Amino acid sequence: SQKIEQNSEALNIQEGKTATLTCNYTNYSPAYLQWYRQDPGRGPVFLLLIRENEKEKRKERLKVTFDTTLKQSLFHITASQPADSATYLCASMTGGYNKLIFGAGTRLAVHP
Amino acid sequence: DTEVTQTPKHLVMGMTNKKSLKCEQHMGHRAMYWYKQKAKKPPELMFVYSYEKLSINESVPSRFSPECPNSSLLNLHLHALQPEDSALYLCASSEVDWGPYEQYFGPGTRLTVT
């Protein structure tokens, strides 16, 4: 079955460092991947979408890559701040519909 | 206005009650979704509405009954729920239900079934 996995349940880093989160997919080839941020008790907020023919996408301090050979997407936050502390979810569409399946999420904690 | 609103924020109901969750968006989106999220788990899709018609039902028990009265509104009617149905219920919308469009999520309704 189609699976999308985020291997790290939690990631702790020091303020100012770069956070790198990993998303792997198996048994399918998504046309694009999405990344969302979720704060406790709130709905996810869309951050970035990357298509399979794009190697890299950037938005301010955020960068996402898509490696179809490794079946992996990496999400980077540069110059991290305590306000970046949240759960980050990788998601992809299955089939032709916008039926998003989410990875389990990585809980990022940025310490001052 | 890129906001999806949901009411109520919190809901406590007994197993014999009937209640409804409401969701509204004014972005002109033609696809709307209901998700269920348990603690420390990702959102799980329940229903998809496309152009006000139900297009996906992820084998959700019939005690959950969705309704889309118009293109801006989405309801989830609840009846005879079980304690294990306690969760955060999220509504989302996107331009259409196919293609590379992001979903906009509401803040959710925290449901507790006693």
Side-chain angles (χ1 to χ4, degrees), chain A:
Chain A
S1 62
Q2 298 170 343
K3 287 174 71 173
I4 187 164
E5 293 174 315
Q6 293 179 253
N7 296 333
S8 298
E9 187 176 321
L11 180 64
N12 292 286
I13 64 167
Q14 210 67 29
E15 183 176 7
K17 301 292 187 186
T18 295
T20 298
L21 286 63
T22 304
C23 175
N24 296 289
Y25 56 91
T26 53
N27 299 327
Y28 73 117
S29 298
Y32 48 89
L33 289 166
Q34 303 184 29
W35 285 87
Y36 290 79
R37 168 184 172 144
Q38 187 172 26
D39 291 285
R42 306 189 66 135
V45 174
F46 171 77
L47 297 174
L48 282 168
L49 180 150
I50 185 165
R51 291 173 168 77
E52 62 179 339
N53 61 352
E54 296 175 317
K55 296 296 182 196
E56 181 180 297
K57 201 89 168 272
R58 290 176 184 262
K59 178 182 171 184
E60 296 172 354
R61 294 185 295 112
L62 309 180
K63 183 178 86 171
V64 63
T65 63
F66 195 168
D67 189 326
T68 55
T69 302
L70 293 178
K71 292 184 177 290
Q72 183 179 82
S73 175
L74 298 179
F75 179 81
H76 306 270
I77 305 175
T78 58
S80 60
Q81 304 165 1
D84 295 325
S85 298
T87 295
Y88 290 86
L89 297 159
C90 171
S92 86
M93 234 183 59
T94 60
Y97 289 97
N98 204 348
K99 180 177 160 180
L100 275 183
I101 55 171
F102 286 89
T106 296
R107 195 169 60 253
L108 174 68
V110 181
H111 302 284

Side-chain angles (χ1 to χ4, degrees), chain B residues 67-83:
Chain B
E67 178 197 20
C68 190
N70 60 55
S71 60
S72 300
L73 290 174
L74 188 65
N75 298 322
L76 186 62
H77 303 297
L78 314 172
H79 173 55
L81 294 193
Q82 304 296 310

Side-chain angles (χ1 to χ4, degrees), chain B residues 29-90:
Chain B
H29 289 173
R30 303 316 301 265
M32 295 185 78
Y33 312 81
W34 281 114
Y35 289 85
K36 173 181 177 179
Q37 187 174 27
K38 301 284 270 184
K40 297 192 186 302
K41 297 288 188 185
E44 289 182 8
L45 183 67
M46 299 173 72
F47 303 103
V48 180
Y49 270 83
S50 177
Y51 289 84
E52 298 156 54
K53 291 191 183 340
L54 184 64
S55 64
I56 295 178
N57 175 341
E58 289 287 274
S59 303
V60 178
S62 60
R63 57 185 184 266
F64 295 91
S65 176
E67 178 197 20
C68 190
N70 60 55
S71 60
S72 300
L73 290 174
L74 188 65
N75 298 322
L76 186 62
H77 303 297
L78 314 172
H79 173 55
L81 294 193
Q82 304 296 310
E84 59 265 29
D85 296 322
S86 298
L88 182 68
Y89 287 84
L90 294 162

